[in-house]
Amino acid sequence: DISIIKDFANKFQWSNNLDEIFKDETFETIVLTNKKQEIIWVNEGFKKMTGFSKSFALNKTPAFLQGANTCKKTSTRIRENIRINRPFKEIVLNYKQDKTPYKCEIKVFPLSYKDTTHYIALENAI
């Protein structure tokens, strides 16, 4: 998975130190989005965690995983951190394809070439 992300890094010429981002991190799922937060790639762990296929997730924003009991304050903090391109960690209540709720810790890092071009989220169900 990390080698695939490094291929994206070469393609988009990100200046981020990916080894530093992945250092000491454990994760089940990697979600890569573009500047508009549309999913461009997820790893196999995404299907295991959410029940949704890779192809279903593509071009959607991760917000499709949220639902009625997702905390609005958490969603607002996520949007604000993305708006100002700040790395962050949050715990969010998401929903699997079968509508089962699950808590997920997400760590999001802006990826840049001059300006932010993409975001990477490392996620763990908790």
Side-chain angles (χ1 to χ4, degrees):
D1 291 344
I2 293 172
S3 64
I4 292 170
I5 295 299
K6 287 184 176 183
D7 289 342
F8 277 109
N10 288 332
K11 178 180 176 181
F12 294 110
Q13 300 179 324
W14 296 325
S15 57
N16 305 76
N17 182 338
L18 293 177
D19 291 328
E20 193 61 32
I21 288 174
F22 287 106
K23 182 182 174 191
D24 302 325
E25 292 292 343
T26 58
F27 53 87
E28 298 170 59
T29 299
I30 301 174
V31 178
L32 183 63
T33 65
N34 63 19
K35 179 77 172 166
K36 295 186 282 184
Q37 298 152 50
E38 298 162 333
I39 296 170
I40 64 168
W41 183 83
V42 295
N43 69 344
E44 290 297 328
F46 184 84
K47 171 111 173 108
K48 292 176 190 164
M49 182 185 288
T50 69
F52 291 101
S53 69
K54 287 181 167 192
S55 60
F56 182 85
L58 291 179
N59 302 313
K60 292 177 176 58
T61 68
F64 86 89
L65 296 166
Q66 298 176 6
N69 292 320
T70 301
C71 177
K72 302 299 181 219
K73 288 180 182 178
T74 301
S75 297
T76 299
R77 283 193 309 270
I78 290 170
R79 282 192 306 275
E80 178 61 14
N81 281 313
I82 287 172
R83 186 185 69 76
I84 61 175
N85 293 314
R86 178 172 50 203
F88 65 92
K89 177 173 78 169
E90 284 285 349
I91 295 175
V92 63
L93 181 69
N94 281 340
Y95 291 83
K96 296 181 180 190
Q97 185 178 27
D98 67 4
K99 309 290 188 233
T100 304
Y102 68 99
K103 284 189 178 179
C104 182
E105 178 186 73
I106 60 171
K107 293 180 183 177
V108 177
F109 303 89
L111 302 170
S112 58
Y113 170 74
K114 297 181 183 171
D115 292 319
T116 298
T117 63
H118 295 82
Y119 299 91
I120 189 168
L122 307 179
E123 304 183 1
N124 284 300
I126 55 172

